[in-house]
Amino acid sequence: MKLVKAVVQDKDSSKLVEGLVEKGFRSTKLASTGGFLKAGNTTLLIGVEDPEVGEVLSSIRAICQAREELVTPMAPMGSGAVESYIPYPIEVQVGGATVFVVDVAQFHRY
Ligand code: 2BA
């Protein structure tokens, strides 16, 4: 058995959960925050049998879109130039999904 951990954008999460349910996959949706953008995203935990991993990955690929996000960088620390610092937003491409597939040592449902 594998545990698929998928970090996806909030905008895609409901559609992805629905798509997984339609295909008979169970998932758990966790509210998460990206370390870089410090913006909300969604982490899905999806436990599946090994042969089903490909189908789960196909669903994630089909539903989750990469998007451009604007980020305003913080003033550089210790440069002494904080007063003259003018923050310009930069564009960052946030991926459709960041996915980890890990082996499950044991699975129990009571
Ligand atoms: P964030 O950490 O908020 O990152 C959002 C996007 O910012 C990233 O998109 C990437 O395009 C950019 N980015 C992140 N760190 C950067 C850096 N040090 N320098 C320049 N640009 C950077 P994605 O790579 O698609 O990641 C989307 C979200 O997936 C991340 O949100 C984070 O929550 C998660 N993630 C990505 N890689 C991860 C990893 N190795 N471990 C755990 N979570 C990860």
Side-chain angles (χ1 to χ4, degrees):
M1 186 177 201
K2 301 277 192 251
L3 180 62
V4 179
K5 303 179 190 187
V7 184
V8 304
Q9 294 183 47
D10 291 343
K11 289 168 192 158
D12 296 321
S13 62
S14 298
K15 200 171 164 199
L16 178 57
V17 170
E18 283 164 23
L20 291 170
V21 168
E22 275 169 22
K23 293 190 168 176
F25 295 118
R26 297 166 190 248
S27 66
T28 296
K29 192 173 155 186
L30 307 174
S32 45
T33 304
F36 186 69
L37 294 182
K38 296 177 177 53
N41 53 28
T42 298
T43 300
L44 289 184
L45 305 181
I46 310 154
V48 288
E49 296 305 330
D50 290 22
E52 299 169 330
V53 170
E55 203 177 342
V56 168
L57 296 181
S58 299
S59 295
I60 295 171
R61 262 198 307 271
I63 291 170
C64 298
Q65 303 169 23
R67 296 183 181 88
E68 304 291 334
E69 298 284 338
L70 282 178
V71 196
T72 305
M74 306 270 287
M77 300 282 284
S79 65
V82 176
E83 296 81 23
S84 60
Y85 176 72
I86 302 169
Y88 290 104
I90 53 165
E91 212 168 51
V92 169
Q93 191 185 57
V94 183
T98 301
V99 183
F100 305 87
V101 180
V102 296
D103 286 322
V104 174
Q106 289 191 22
F107 169 71
H108 304 281
R109 199 164 67 226
Y110 297 113

